[in-house]
């Protein structure tokens, strides 16, 4: 195949329909047919990236290998397809405008008046095609954030209209809408879908494929009605019913022929239907696992999306241990010495979550103390690891004022300190230690045993770091520094080998766990949590 094909995924009616899951599923199905694919996300907000957004606003911030702070949908793309995304896979209106304004300041436009059309739309088009041109992908799937009809997505839709016109059969639009069920009337309603397609048509875009999100099965008559009213071929109207797991979606899409509809529309050969063998095996194992392992997530964001990748990594690791992972959120702001025993009862393992700022950290320290002294498997991630270190310094090394420079500027015992290169940074956006860095594991350590290799690469997002001047004291008392960056000598992993599983990582392993390649740390953590369950329950 020579020319790159472009698939646009838009959404209508309401947000949160799962465009990311549909885009990932399309990617997965085309990949299974042997195509080289990538998926990118364009978000219509003005922030340069979601890095400065509160997780309550936008859920987790996902980090790519090359250090881009991105929308959490990129996590779905990677988990479903195993591809690695980069900076070029994530764009916002802010970045598009910044790039155009920078060009204007440089004088690149030679005296022209800079306008949304053509300059902003051209910049969007250039970015859509960038990946296809540079890496010669067979398919570039572009998901447009937001909902059709939003003022801010208009330039993106205009760019798609132009691209569809210019690229002909090499471009296609998949539109995701919602078919609500009205309980009182006992009816499924297609009108919102018709309206949202009309909205697209009024901008000049005719969707080629419709995916209808629904809580109830849609019969043929409804699908035919939608096809007829929206000028879409009947075999290009697909339904996306609620399923027990997001990982069932690709299989359901394949069964309804979403991939063949796309290939047909683009004038491509259909070929043999791929078996999706390893994926189906994963689902089979997942559905067979009925026994639970309960994991507590100690954090401050009581929002499913705030720790998305951690949740998915734990859930995948459960499957690979033939267990169903039950996740229990524990609000660290409400966790105290008095209630910790009761709050953590029945949990087989605890994850101390990442985060920023003072709020909720004392509860994380309380959790770390309880799990360390009761030998409950504990996984500290980024801020979670830092809290494990602070707890150890306070209660084992005897430094009652031990803290992180982030929380206490003046403490004498800054066991977590600001990184040297972060000291003079004033701009908050995109300036943390971001992306993949090498880490060398200590031979004979627990983590070496888990990874079964000495050199690993993991992704980071932080400004503070273990203070190396305390290393000897920690190690003397049993908390070992077992992973280091070979260049900067920064401590990336601590562990207490005398406990069942007490490991803290400065990096975020959750960004690298995928459906078919679960992360070894999560798999081993769940395995130990299951063993712990057996012990504590006799
Ligand atoms: N706030 C801590 C730091 O900047 C931890 C960040 C995180 O958990 N991602 O170092």
């Amino acid at each position: 195949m020579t020319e790159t094909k472009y698939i646009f995924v838009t959404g209508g009616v309401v947000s949160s329909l799962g465009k990311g899951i549909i885009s990932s599923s399309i990617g997965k199905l085309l990949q299974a047919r042997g195509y080289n694919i990538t998926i990118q996300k364009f978000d219509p907000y003005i922030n340069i990236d979601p890095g400065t957004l509160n997780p309550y606003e936008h859920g987790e911030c996902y980090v790519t290998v090359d250090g881009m702070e991105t929308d959490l949908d990129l996590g779905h793309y990677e988990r479903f397809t195993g591809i690695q995304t980069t900076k070029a896979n994530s764009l916002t209106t802010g970045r598009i405008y910044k790039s155009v304004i920078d060009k204007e300041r440089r004088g690149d436009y030679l005296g022209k008046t800079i306008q949304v059309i053509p300059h902003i739309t051209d910049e969007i088009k250039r970015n859509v095609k960038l990946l296809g041109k540079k890496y010669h992908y067979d398919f570039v799937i572009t998901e447009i954030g937001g909902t059709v009809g939003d003022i801010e997505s208009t330039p993106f839709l205009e760019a798609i209209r132009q691209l569809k016109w210019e690229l002909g059969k090499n471009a296609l639009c998949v539109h995701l809408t919602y078919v609500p069920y009205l309980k009182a009337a006992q009816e499924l309603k297609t009108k919102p879908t018709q309206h949202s397609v009309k909205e697209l048509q009024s901008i000049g875009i005719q969707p080629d494929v419709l995916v209808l999100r629904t809580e109830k099965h849609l019969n043929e008559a409804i699908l035919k009605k939608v096809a007829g009213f929206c000028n879409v071929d009947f075999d290009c109207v697909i339904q996306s019913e609620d399923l027990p797991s997001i990982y069932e979606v690709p299989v359901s899409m394949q069964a309804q022929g979403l991939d063949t509809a796309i290939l047909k529309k683009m004038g491509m050969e259909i070929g043999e239907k791929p078996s999706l063998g390893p994926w189906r095996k994963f689902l089979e194992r997942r559905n067979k696992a009925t026994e639970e392992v309960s994991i507590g997530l100690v954090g401050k964001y009581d929002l499913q999306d705030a720790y998305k990748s951690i949740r998915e990594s734990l859930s995948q690791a459960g499957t690979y241990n033939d267990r169903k992972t039950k996740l229990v959120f524990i609000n660290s702001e409400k966790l105290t010495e008095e209630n910790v025993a009761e709050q953590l009862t029945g949990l087989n393992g605890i994850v101390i979550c990442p985060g920023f700022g003072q709020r909720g950290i004392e509860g994380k320290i309380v959790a770390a103390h309880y799990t360390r002294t009761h030998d409950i498997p504990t996984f500290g991630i980024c801020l979670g690891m830092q809290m494990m270190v602070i707890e150890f310094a306070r209660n084992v090394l005897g430094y009652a004022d031990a803290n992180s420079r982030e929380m206490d500027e003046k403490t004498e015992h800054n066991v977590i300190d600001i990184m040297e290169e972060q000291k003079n940074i004033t701009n908050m956006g995109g300036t943390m230690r971001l992306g993949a860095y090498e880490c060398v594991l200590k031979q004979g350590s627990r983590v070496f045993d888990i990874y079964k290799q000495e050199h690993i690469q993991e992704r980071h997002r932080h400004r503070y770091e273990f203070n190396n001047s305390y290393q000897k004291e920690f190690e003397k008392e049993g908390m070992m520094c077992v992973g280091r960056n070979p260049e900067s000598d920064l401590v990336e992993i601590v562990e207490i080998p005398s406990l069942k599983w007490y490991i803290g990582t400065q990096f975020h392993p959750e960004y690298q766990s995928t459906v078919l390649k679960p992360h070894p740390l999560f798999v081993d953590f769940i395995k130990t949590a299951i063993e712990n369950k057996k012990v504590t329950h006799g």
Side-chain angles (χ1 to χ4, degrees):
M1 196 161 109
T2 47
E3 283 171 316
T4 301
K5 316 261 171 192
Y6 295 88
I7 299 173
F8 300 99
V9 181
T10 56
V13 185
V14 287
S15 58
S16 303
L17 290 178
K19 266 186 307 221
I21 305 295
I22 295 298
S23 306
S24 304
S25 301
I26 294 172
K28 175 85 211 158
L29 293 179
L30 292 173
Q31 207 183 34
R33 288 177 179 272
Y35 294 114
N36 189 10
I37 63 112
T38 193
I39 316 177
Q40 55 181 183
K41 172 99 193 253
F42 284 12
D43 270 308
Y45 51 73
I46 296 171
N47 304 59
I48 294 286
D49 60 50
T52 53
L53 284 174
N54 184 328
Y56 272 127
E57 293 271 333
H58 207 71
E60 157 190 291
C61 175
Y62 187 78
V63 179
T64 59
V65 266
D66 62 345
M68 184 75 196
E69 296 174 285
T70 73
D71 186 82
L72 57 78
D73 274 322
L74 274 84
H76 291 309
Y77 306 163
E78 294 203 3
R79 285 189 287 273
F80 274 64
T81 63
I83 57 166
Q84 274 196 341
T85 55
T86 63
K87 196 175 173 176
N89 294 71
S90 171
L91 260 119
T92 65
T93 292
R95 255 179 80 198
I96 299 282
Y97 269 79
K98 186 166 187 307
S99 153
V100 169
I101 291 169
D102 286 348
K103 282 183 199 166
E104 186 273 335
R105 291 288 82 183
R106 280 203 306 266
D108 293 4
Y109 293 114
L110 306 173
K112 287 261 182 271
T113 306
I114 310 308
Q115 295 178 295
V116 173
I117 298 166
H119 300 99
I120 295 297
T121 44
D122 279 354
E123 184 64 17
I124 295 172
K125 284 161 67 183
R126 189 180 71 78
N127 277 286
V128 167
K129 290 189 189 161
L130 203 70
L131 280 168
K133 265 204 195 126
K134 201 162 162 195
Y135 302 103
H136 309 290
Y137 285 109
D138 299 324
F139 285 93
V140 173
I141 301 161
T142 307
E143 179 191 344
I144 309 293
T147 311
V148 169
D150 295 345
I151 290 178
E152 51 263 36
S153 37
T154 315
F156 290 100
L157 296 174
E158 169 58 16
I160 294 178
R161 186 197 65 75
Q162 292 181 21
L163 283 167
K164 278 196 80 181
W165 174 246
E166 285 164 26
L167 296 167
K169 267 197 166 2
N170 286 343
L172 169 142
C173 172
V174 176
H175 188 54
L176 179 65
T177 74
Y178 181 50
V179 178
Y181 177 71
L182 294 191
K183 226 179 180 177
Q186 298 192 352
E187 267 183 71
L188 285 153
K189 292 292 185 188
T190 62
K191 193 64 67 86
T193 295
Q194 297 175 41
H195 276 298
S196 122
V197 170
K198 247 195 202 147
E199 184 82 38
L200 262 185
Q201 288 166 338
S202 73
I203 319 170
I205 300 174
Q206 170 60 49
D208 303 280
V209 175
L210 288 178
V211 178
L212 311 178
R213 280 285 289 122
T214 172
E215 280 145 40
K216 277 201 183 289
H217 186 75
L218 306 176
N219 63 25
E220 204 178 299
I222 295 179
L223 299 176
K224 275 204 170 129
K225 183 175 164 190
V226 171
F229 279 118
C230 299
N231 299 351
V232 174
D233 295 343
F234 174 64
D235 62 352
C236 292
V237 182
I238 312 282
Q239 61 180 303
S240 173
E241 246 181 295
D242 279 359
L243 292 168
S245 147
I246 52 171
Y247 301 125
E248 303 273 354
V249 178
V251 174
S252 161
M253 291 300 112
Q254 189 193 43
Q256 294 181 72
L258 175 60
D259 52 344
T260 48
I262 290 174
L263 292 173
K264 214 167 89 188
K265 275 270 155 201
M266 298 188 110
M268 299 172 72
E269 238 176 77
I270 307 286
E272 245 176 73
K273 182 172 162 179
S275 69
L276 299 177
W279 192 271
R280 283 183 201 275
K281 246 192 213 136
F282 168 84
L283 288 179
E284 232 169 75
R285 203 165 170 186
R286 192 172 178 87
N287 293 332
K288 253 197 220 147
T290 46
E291 214 180 308
E292 279 181 350
V293 55
S294 300
I295 304 295
L297 288 182
V298 179
K300 65 179 166 185
Y301 300 112
D302 186 9
L303 178 87
Q304 289 266 343
D305 278 355
Y307 307 113
K308 191 77 194 164
S309 295
I310 294 181
R311 284 176 177 271
E312 294 306 321
S313 305
L314 289 165
S315 154
Q316 292 156 3
T319 300
Y320 283 95
N321 278 289
D322 301 304
R323 288 293 188 287
K324 208 179 161 125
T325 312
K326 181 179 163 206
L327 296 173
V328 180
F329 175 74
I330 295 157
N331 189 339
S332 59
E333 285 184 84
K334 300 205 175 115
L335 204 57
T336 61
E337 293 286 1
E338 290 70 44
N339 66 18
V340 61
E342 176 213 333
Q343 291 265 317
L344 304 190
T345 30
L347 298 174
N348 315 120
I350 301 292
V351 173
I352 308 182
C353 293
F356 295 84
Q358 172 73 34
R359 197 162 56 82
I361 66 151
E362 291 303 326
K364 287 183 176 173
I365 294 173
V366 165
H369 180 64
Y370 187 85
T371 56
R372 181 176 61 76
T373 49
H374 290 77
D375 200 2
I376 299 170
T378 308
F379 196 168
I381 301 178
C382 207
L383 185 71
M385 168 266 199
Q386 297 176 355
M387 294 305 117
M388 281 171 148
V389 168
I390 292 169
E391 187 280 319
F392 197 85
R394 286 186 188 176
N395 299 314
V396 179
L397 306 186
Y399 300 133
D401 64 344
N403 216 329
S404 160
R405 269 280 179 265
E406 182 181 3
M407 321 301 169
D408 185 348
E409 289 260 316
K410 296 194 184 74
T411 178
E412 204 183 309
H413 298 103
N414 53 335
V415 288
I416 302 294
D417 202 6
I418 184 140
M419 281 181 280
E420 201 49 46
E421 67 271 23
Q422 289 285 330
K423 283 186 179 158
N424 298 319
I425 286 175
T426 48
N427 261 359
M428 286 295 120
T431 54
M432 280 187 255
R433 180 173 181 236
L434 291 165
Y437 284 90
E438 197 186 343
C439 172
V440 180
L441 305 180
K442 200 168 171 178
Q443 302 240 2
S445 66
R446 180 74 187 259
V447 282
F448 185 88
D449 211 38
I450 296 170
Y451 277 97
K452 299 195 173 32
Q453 66 195 64
E454 197 177 353
H455 293 261
I456 58 163
Q457 293 262 352
E458 293 280 2
R459 301 182 206 176
H460 296 250
R461 182 174 186 245
H462 61 121
R463 294 187 202 280
Y464 298 84
E465 181 62 52
F466 181 89
N467 183 342
N468 260 325
S469 53
Y470 286 94
Q471 184 206 337
K472 280 211 175 87
E473 284 179 72
F474 274 87
E475 297 208 324
K476 196 165 149 253
E477 295 301 330
M479 183 177 265
M480 316 305 279
C481 301
V482 289
R484 273 186 191 278
N485 179 287
E487 277 154 38
S488 58
D489 210 31
L490 293 174
V491 173
E492 315 284 36
I493 315 176
V494 296
E495 68 177 36
I496 300 183
S498 60
L499 296 177
K500 283 180 202 143
W501 214 102
Y502 200 82
I503 298 175
T505 62
Q506 186 56 78
F507 51 78
H508 292 260
E510 70 272 22
Y511 295 144
Q512 302 214 115
S513 191
T514 71
V515 171
L516 297 183
K517 241 177 131 199
H519 196 288
L521 280 178
F522 285 99
V523 175
D524 195 73
F525 170 65
I526 293 287
K527 182 170 161 256
T528 315
I530 295 165
E531 284 158 10
N532 180 44
K533 182 179 176 179
K534 283 188 202 141
V535 175
T536 49
H537 290 68

